[in-house]
Every structure is written in C-alpha cells, then in structure tokens.
Amino acid sequence: MNPAVTLDRTSGRRVAAEPIASLTLRLTVNGEERVLQVEPWTTLLDLLRDKLDLTGTKKGCDHGQCGACTVLIDGRRINACLKLAVTLEGQEVTTIEGLGQPGNLHPLQAAFIEHDAFQCGYCTPGQICSAQGLINEGHARNRADVREQMSGNICRCGAYTNIADAVLEVLEQGKQP
Ligand code: FES
Ligand code: FES
C-alpha cells in the first residue's frame, strides 16, 4: 500500500495516513561517516544512488536477481536492492567508488581492464564488489569456485570467461590494495 495512505478500520476506506517520520541513520560509506535522514522503506541501493550520488552501484532488476547492485557491508557482499538502509546503523558500506579511483585502481579493477572483462560495463561494479567479497570469504580456490560463487552476478554481455580470468589472477597472486 502507498505509505501515504492507510486503511480506516471503522469505515474500511483508505484515508490519508499520518506522515511517517524519517529515521536518523549513522553509517560509514567508503570510509566517510555519514548521518542521514532516511525513510524506513528506502533501500540501500536508492540511498546510495539518489541521496549520496554514488551511481557506480547499478540498478538492474531491483529484486535480487542480477547482482548489479552488489556492494560490501563490513566486507561481506550483499544485494543493495534487497537491504533496507535503516537496518545498517553503525555499519560500514563500501561501493565501487570506495575500492579504487582513476589513477589509483584496485587490483580487481586493473585486472578487469587487463583481461578485457567487460563490454558495456553495466554489471562491472557489481562484479568487482562481488569478487572482493568472494576473496574476503576465502572459500574460492579455482575457476570452478569463482564461477560458482559469482553465479549471482549476471553479465548480459557474456563476459564470464574474462571475468573469471581477472578474478583468478587477483585471487592466485594474492593482490590486495
Ligand atoms: Fe539488485 Fe538486480 S538490482 S540484484
Ligand atoms: Fe555488459 Fe556485463 S559487461 S552486462
């Protein structure tokens, strides 16, 4: 139901609801402490893109199916479209902008360029954040593991072989910033 509308129990009719107050949210985004006023229904994805102008994180399906919105929370990867921002009090969010910048690329960003691991690039921020999460988890040992554990990140351009090459290079060489 539209949050501006509620059901009157006596009449059974929809009526204008009392405005829902925004909540104060304190969290760290890419190393910077932020204090934000957030509506309870705002997803982390919309917070990043619409309020913080961090548009590197992409909106693909908006319901947990494509991985384009993958970011890191306290080092663990999540789909930002499925996470309500208000649940992240005190946590640390890292987006693609926090991993590396032009002139100071993260090893995964450099490896994606080196291995030509993208075409349109729409899935790439999510792929790289997911790969960093996979490396943090420490369970991937080989190409099959990488393919399996990154299977939630869809690439419509079909760059999977080169993506796996790039991730494997960083994984095997233990490259970290
Ligand atoms: Fe979040 Fe597709 S936009 S999984
Ligand atoms: Fe185009 Fe992956 S590079 S969707």
Side-chain angles (χ1 to χ4, degrees), residues 28-32 34 48 52-57 70-73 75 92-102 104-109 125-126 128-129 132 136 176-177:
T28 302
V29 182
N30 296 334
E32 186 180 342
R34 309 295 297 249
L48 292 171
L52 300 181
D53 206 23
L54 293 169
T55 54
T57 305
T70 305
V71 298
L72 299 166
I73 296 179
E92 184 163 341
V93 179
T94 305
T95 70
I96 190 68
E97 292 91 343
L99 286 182
Q101 296 85 32
N104 184 25
L105 294 181
H106 184 280
L108 280 164
Q109 293 171 317
I128 289 175
C129 286
Q132 182 60 63
N136 294 346
Q176 287 294 311

Side-chain angles (χ1 to χ4, degrees), residues 11-92:
S11 66
R13 304 178 76 165
R14 293 184 178 198
V15 296
E18 292 290 319
I20 298 174
S22 297
L23 303 173
T24 301
L25 173 66
R26 293 175 181 79
L27 77 173
T28 302
V29 182
N30 296 334
E32 186 180 342
E33 289 186 24
R34 309 295 297 249
V35 181
L36 302 159
Q37 294 301 311
V38 180
E39 292 90 3
W41 55 84
T42 301
T43 64
L44 174 59
L45 177 58
D46 288 340
L47 181 79
L48 292 171
R49 290 183 56 85
D50 300 341
K51 282 208 170 189
L52 300 181
D53 206 23
L54 293 169
T55 54
T57 305
K58 300 298 186 240
K59 181 179 283 192
C61 63
D62 208 20
H63 60 273
Q65 299 293 310
C66 73
C69 65
T70 305
V71 298
L72 299 166
I73 296 179
D74 294 340
R76 300 184 65 84
R77 51 192 169 151
I78 61 116
N79 290 334
C81 68
L82 296 181
K83 192 76 178 167
L84 289 175
V86 292
T87 66
L88 295 171
E89 178 71 26
Q91 293 192 275
E92 184 163 341

